[in-house]
Amino acid sequence: MRTPQSLGRLLSYQKDKDIHFFTTENGRIRIECFEPAIFRIRIDFGSSIEKKSVCASALSAHLAGAFKETSLGCEFSVESTRIEVDQNARLAFYHIDGRALWVDDPMGCLADGDRISMHKALQTGERFLGLGEKTGPLDKRGRQYENWNTDKFAYHPEDDPLYASIPFYMGLHSGLCYGVWVDETGRSTFNFGASNDRYSMVRTESGSIDCWFFPGATPAEVLFKHSRITGVSELPALWTLGFQQCRYSYYPASELLTLARQFRERRIPCDVLYLDIHYMDEYKVFSWSQERFEPIAAWSEELVKLGFKVVAIIDPGLKKEQGYAPFDEAVSRDLVLTHPDGSAYIGEAWPGECAFPDFDNPEARSWWAESTRNWLLASNGAINGLWTDMNEPAVWGKSIPETLISKTEQGTFAHRHTHNAYGYWMAEATRQGLQQAYPECRPFVLTRAAYSGQQRIGAIWTGDNSSGADHLLLSARMIAGMGLSGLPFCGADVGGFIGEAHPELFGRWMQLGAFSPLFRAHSMIHSRDAEPWSFGEEVEEICRNAIELRYRLLPMIYQAFEAHTRSGIPPLRSLALEHPFEERTYASEFENQFFLGDALLVAPTSLSKGYLKVWLPEGEWFDFYTDAPISAGIHVVELKPNALPVYVRAGRGFAAQNAIAHTGVNASTRELHLYWGSAGSFSVYEDRGEGYGYRSGEILAFVLRWTDDRLEFSPACGTIEPGRFAIFVHGLPEDYVRAGDAPLIREPYRWVEPLSNFDPYYRDVDRSLEIAALARFEVDWDGRAASWVLSR
């Protein structure tokens, strides 16, 4: 009987260019330290699989640390972290004040063949966050998860694994934070004290563990360090942040045009319409159905006039068909996944029997990018973005053989060692094709399967969810969890893809989607219509309100994405980012709450009426819709059908605008909303929303600050002229009458419109979601530093 093998005793140590090498009886440990206090740890037992990292950025600034030998082994310190390696090759990371941070359990690291497991002692009260697209509660303590990208149709709220693998988590305990990213594209397992109260465990199946360790004073600092390695998102095109309508499927082209006209006639904002697999000829990638969508110009030109962008699905399966060029080319050039004997793997997907590109192979990625480019150009600009689906890869039967062979830059590997990177590489190659076709445009790629670093490629959604109240709340946690894992541009299918949402649930989900980074409604074939007007007049008004609110908040959301590019902090932020050690953050009543940007707190609910318990963290707050002041603490609030509970923290603010039909329309009003407190500030950022002029300074950026009774604009940065702004001061006492030389205007203000009275007996307009008299003044600003004194 074979038992797991430990690393054994520590035999020797050496240092080479500030890299620490430890040799043990049965293996090796390598530790590198980088600025700013980022650690890379590699552990193997002498027979590891040497794979090049898919996404890890190279850091050149090594930190040597102060090394010394001790009676128990050796130790060295880097900034506020002390690292110990004892005589039994056990690793321990401590805060410089002596508190345990991330410490080996006595079992340490064990090998069972190529299955390597790393065991860490559970700390008192330790919580675990992240791991990307995972079900379950916000805090993953007491659960085990597997990373193996899987086509999980109609997944349940506790199912695992799903479509994406993001092997990064954060640990929190004793007032300390840390992050761990395990760079493993094969199968990995994370046990956070499931069925034991002794250790957490990470297991890989490649003969080694290659991980990065990020100590930090706060989760925000940990995320920043993580972003130094796996990257941040580029600024998305503004149109991708608008409302997106999808269905499996809208066809023929006349139905797509009818849909577009309905949005405009009903005055419901929308930017993006989707084409699912029925636009293709027999579901063959890089093709068009002549019957349904030819000629392309006949429908695409009208969509352009109406202000719509089109995103088309694109699947990896290449139909096995004589004379079908993509299949013939890919197979003849040996660019597909193969069996160990070299023959092409043939599996079944939408087109029937298919070969699958070997996206680990750089030549296959180049071929795919070129094929994508040529198809886009031949389509005369009808397609603006691409949606990579079925890229786990998914085949009928659900399980692709793990013995297939992939050809990488470093040689050949069994598919089981690279499986989780397949969707990542497909999305990356697709992005390259878009960039080659439209070099002046920011590419939009939406993917189902993903790996760490997906944020550098594009957006991700949570796959084939269901139309249930539990999935609405689950989507809020999953999106927040992906944000905690470095993925900022994510969302869930509003209304649920599978099944049919009842009217009240659809309205609530639309309200939640309005605050999500990716705002897309999607529904399945053979189900009822699921457009904003499909559930009756009242729900249509609720949806219009939610979507218009989204467009009004686009300046704030866009600024939050820009902030992410510098900090790694996502636009939608779990309460754990700001209040990681507060018990109520993880309570079942409050774990679905989140911040949008740093000002708004949103409390999701699936209930159409009744009451909801809401927790407001420390500080003073305003009701978003009425400006009613609210103190910190737990509140029971009455639910309104046309608005989710939303609150704004005093001392914060954001930019907004009037509602527009789509992002191709310039807003007529630019608004700045500040929420009164003794002092506060917020940043404002604008650019053209498309193209790359922002990289050379074609922006407008400034800060609005206030202290006591004075408001100040910092000097504007960038070449975009500031112009006119309406400045709204929420919570300003009624006796203030002027801002500088300008009188303060006080008028009613609404973020959402009241619902119509469909019962003729009740004729009064509901003004319960209205600010009775909001103070504002307007300025024409030239970009130089400016200030206004608010006076009584």
Side-chain angles (χ1 to χ4, degrees):
M1 179 178 178
R2 185 177 65 184
T3 59
Q5 182 183 51
S6 72
L7 282 167
R9 292 186 61 77
L10 184 63
L11 299 180
S12 65
Y13 159 81
Q14 68 181 88
K15 174 182 166 187
D16 181 19
K17 297 180 180 179
D18 299 327
I19 303 174
H20 303 273
F21 295 90
F22 303 88
T23 302
T24 74
E25 291 176 317
N26 301 316
R28 297 166 296 196
I29 303 171
R30 166 177 166 157
I31 302 176
E32 293 178 82
C33 313
F34 299 94
E35 177 70 32
I38 295 173
F39 303 87
R40 184 184 183 188
I41 304 108
R42 182 176 175 85
I43 301 172
D44 69 74
F45 286 74
S47 60
S48 64
I49 305 296
E50 294 287 342
K51 291 182 295 183
K52 183 179 179 181
S53 177
V54 167
C55 68
S57 300
L59 295 178
S60 57
H62 279 87
L63 295 173
F67 180 85
K68 66 178 181 181
E69 293 188 14
T70 70
S71 59
L72 299 177
C74 53
E75 68 175 51
F76 56 100
S77 299
V78 175
E79 295 185 359
S80 62
T81 304
R82 190 178 85 250
I83 303 96
E84 294 183 358
V85 183
D86 72 13
Q87 288 293 338
N88 292 311
R90 290 186 294 243
L91 293 176
F93 287 75
Y94 295 93
H95 190 271
I96 202 68
D97 64 10
R99 287 178 291 171
L101 188 57
W102 193 57
V103 177
D104 272 1
D105 176 84
M107 285 189 294
C109 200
L110 300 176
D112 183 2
D114 62 3
R115 298 178 69 180
I116 310 299
S117 54
M118 180 172 63
H119 302 81
K120 298 295 177 179
L122 281 173
Q123 304 297 320
T124 301
E126 190 165 15
R127 299 185 185 276
F128 299 92
L129 310 174
L131 277 194
E133 185 188 62
K134 294 298 182 185
T135 58
L138 175 63
D139 178 11
K140 309 303 184 189
R141 174 74 180 257
R143 292 171 179 259
Q144 179 167 303
Y145 294 93
E146 182 180 34
N147 283 327
W148 183 259
N149 290 0
T150 301
D151 176 12
K152 195 72 171 179
F153 182 79
Y155 59 87
H156 295 288
E158 296 289 335
D159 280 353
D160 183 69
L162 299 182
Y163 308 92
S165 295
I166 312 297
F168 168 76
Y169 72 90
M170 284 191 276
L172 311 170
H173 66 85
S174 311
L176 300 171
C177 304
Y178 68 87
V180 177
W181 176 49
V182 181
D183 193 1
E184 176 55 64
T185 56
R187 193 184 308 272
S188 60
T189 303
F190 289 75
N191 181 312
F192 297 124
S195 304
N196 89 91
D197 59 1
R198 172 177 165 178
Y199 60 81
S200 63
M201 180 271 290
V202 174
R203 183 172 64 230
T204 68
E205 299 184 8
S206 59
S208 69
I209 287 182
D210 189 359
C211 68
W212 296 74
F213 181 69
F214 312 102
T218 64
E221 182 183 349
V222 170
L223 268 186
F224 171 73
K225 290 183 177 182
H226 174 257
S227 73
R228 291 286 305 276
I229 305 301
T230 65
V232 295
S233 291
E234 291 189 345
L235 266 175
L238 185 61
W239 62 265
T240 69
L241 301 182
F243 179 60
Q244 307 185 12
Q245 182 69 49
C246 185
R247 180 173 176 83
Y248 167 36
S249 288
Y250 291 120
Y251 70 94
S254 58
E255 182 177 343
L256 196 68
L257 289 173
T258 298
L259 176 72
R261 294 170 191 140
Q262 286 281 305
F263 271 105
R264 298 299 179 242
E265 291 169 6
R266 293 174 181 272
R267 298 180 296 104
I268 298 176
C270 184
D271 264 89
V272 183
L273 302 179
Y274 276 74
L275 294 176
D276 210 313
I277 59 175
H278 289 95
Y279 80 87
M280 303 179 198
D281 175 24
E282 297 182 340
Y283 312 132
K284 291 182 289 189
V285 69
F286 307 131
S287 74
W288 287 96
S289 167
Q290 292 187 359
E291 176 186 355
R292 294 168 176 165
F293 282 91
E294 295 279 7
I296 295 173
W299 55 269
S300 65
E301 290 176 4
E302 182 171 351
L303 289 179
V304 170
K305 291 178 182 177
L306 290 170
F308 284 96
K309 307 290 187 182
V310 176
V311 174
I313 200 169
I314 189 168
D315 291 344
L318 306 172
K319 183 175 177 62
K320 182 183 177 182
E321 177 181 277
Q322 187 175 3
Y324 173 48
F327 175 86
D328 292 341
E329 291 174 12
V331 172
S332 65
R333 293 173 57 181
D334 195 24
L335 301 178
V336 298
L337 293 173
T338 64
H339 293 288
D341 63 6
S343 61
Y345 165 69
I346 303 297
E348 281 199 74
W350 292 118
E353 290 190 328
C354 297
F356 293 82
D358 178 10
F359 286 112
D360 287 301
N361 184 345
E363 291 184 25
R365 296 199 295 273
S366 295
W367 169 81
W368 182 270
E370 182 181 4
S371 300
T372 301
R373 169 191 175 275
N374 293 340
W375 176 68
L376 290 169
L377 293 177
S379 302
N380 296 315
I383 304 303
N384 307 98
L386 291 170
W387 165 25
T388 60
D389 195 22
M390 303 288 285
N391 54 338
E392 291 73 32
V395 292
W396 303 157
K398 301 292 186 182
S399 180
I400 194 166
E402 297 183 20
T403 54
L404 298 181
I405 298 300
S406 289
K407 304 169 187 66
T408 75
E409 295 169 292
Q410 294 174 280
T412 59
F413 291 93
H415 177 75
R416 73 185 184 93
H417 293 303
T418 63
H419 173 81
N420 290 337
Y422 190 89
Y424 173 96
W425 284 128
M426 180 187 177
E428 169 62 22
T430 302
R431 177 186 173 92
Q432 290 175 13
L434 276 164
Q435 289 175 311
Q436 292 170 18
Y438 313 134
E440 301 303 317
C441 300
R442 304 179 202 174
F444 176 67
V445 176
L446 175 64
T447 190
R448 188 169 78 174
Y451 181 68
S452 292
Q454 167 60 34
Q455 64 270 18
R456 300 190 299 201
I457 300 171
I460 181 173
W461 93 105
T462 61
D464 297 341
N465 63 353
S466 297
S467 300
D470 52 354
H471 271 261
L472 182 152
L473 295 175
L474 174 65
S475 71
R477 293 196 302 279
M478 291 177 72
I479 295 168
M482 288 194 282
L484 287 168
S485 308
L487 302 180
F489 200 1
C490 45
D493 284 343
V494 169
F497 177 64
I498 298 155
E500 297 179 346
H502 59 79
E504 293 83 2
L505 178 63
F506 188 85
R508 280 298 189 214
W509 213 323
M510 191 68 75
Q511 291 165 359
L512 173 59
F515 296 100
S516 300
L518 176 73
F519 186 14
R520 182 180 86 147
H522 188 26
S523 56
M524 190 178 174
I525 197 170
H526 304 314
S527 63
R528 69 170 292 174
D529 290 348
E531 290 74 47
W533 52 85
S534 302
F535 297 84
E537 292 176 292
E538 185 173 67
V539 176
E540 179 177 348
E541 289 193 8
I542 288 171
C543 291
R544 182 184 295 107
N545 260 335
I547 297 171
E548 285 187 341
L549 179 58
R550 167 61 167 228
Y551 279 77
R552 296 192 64 188
L553 295 177
L554 274 181
M556 179 193 71
I557 296 169
Y558 192 66
Q559 189 275 333
F561 269 96
E562 192 279 332
H564 161 80
T565 67
R566 293 176 283 106
S567 67
I569 303 300
L572 188 150
R573 305 165 184 179
S574 165
L575 266 61
L577 268 177
E578 289 199 26
H579 305 279
F581 300 107
E582 168 60 59
E583 290 289 328
R584 284 171 287 194
T585 293
Y586 309 98
S588 59
E589 304 103 311
F590 312 123
E591 64 176 349
N592 302 310
Q593 295 182 188
F594 59 83
F595 291 104
L596 183 63
D598 63 0
L600 298 187
L601 186 151
V602 181
T605 179
S606 60
L607 301 174
S608 60
K609 60 186 68 175
Y611 295 86
L612 183 70
K613 190 181 290 187
V614 172
W615 169 54
L616 300 180
E618 59 188 17
E620 296 300 318
W621 298 83
F622 292 90
D623 183 288
F624 176 65
Y625 305 101
T626 68
D627 271 2
I630 306 175
S631 59
I634 296 175
H635 302 269
V636 177
V637 299
E638 182 180 4
L639 295 172
K640 299 289 185 177
N642 55 333
L644 284 178
V646 180
Y647 305 91
V648 190
R649 194 194 296 271
R652 305 282 175 91
F654 52 85
Q657 64 186 17
N658 61 289
I660 52 179
H662 57 87
T663 57
V665 177
N666 290 326
S668 59
T669 306
R670 297 154 85 195
E671 301 178 353
L672 302 177
H673 292 262
L674 64 92
Y675 288 78
W676 198 244
S678 58
S681 68
F682 64 92
S683 299
V684 179
Y685 175 88
E686 297 178 12
D687 62 33
R688 301 301 182 194
E690 181 58 288
Y692 296 98
Y694 70 92
R695 293 178 177 174
S696 55
E698 195 176 350
I699 66 170
L700 170 64
F702 62 94
V703 177
L704 174 57
R705 298 185 178 89
W706 60 97
T707 304
D708 296 325
D709 297 338
R710 181 181 295 273
L711 276 61
E712 297 179 345
F713 277 1
S714 70
C717 298
T719 60
I720 294 179
E721 293 293 326
R724 192 167 185 81
F725 289 92
I727 303 175
F728 294 84
V729 187
H730 297 257
L732 186 68
E734 293 182 2
D735 56 346
Y736 281 85
V737 296
R738 303 191 68 81
D741 296 330
L744 286 171
I745 302 168
R746 292 183 182 268
E747 293 178 336
Y749 187 93
R750 291 194 294 260
W751 288 107
V752 295
E753 294 302 314
L755 298 179
S756 299
N757 290 323
F758 295 100
D759 185 339
Y761 182 80
Y762 297 98
R763 297 186 181 276
D764 291 339
V765 174
D766 180 9
R767 300 189 182 279
S768 61
L769 296 182
E770 180 177 278
I771 303 169
L774 177 57
R776 85 167 195 275
F777 66 102
E778 297 186 5
V779 297
D780 289 301
W781 184 43
D782 62 6
R784 291 179 292 183
S787 65
W788 300 267
V789 175
L790 299 178
S791 57
R792 291 174 167 85

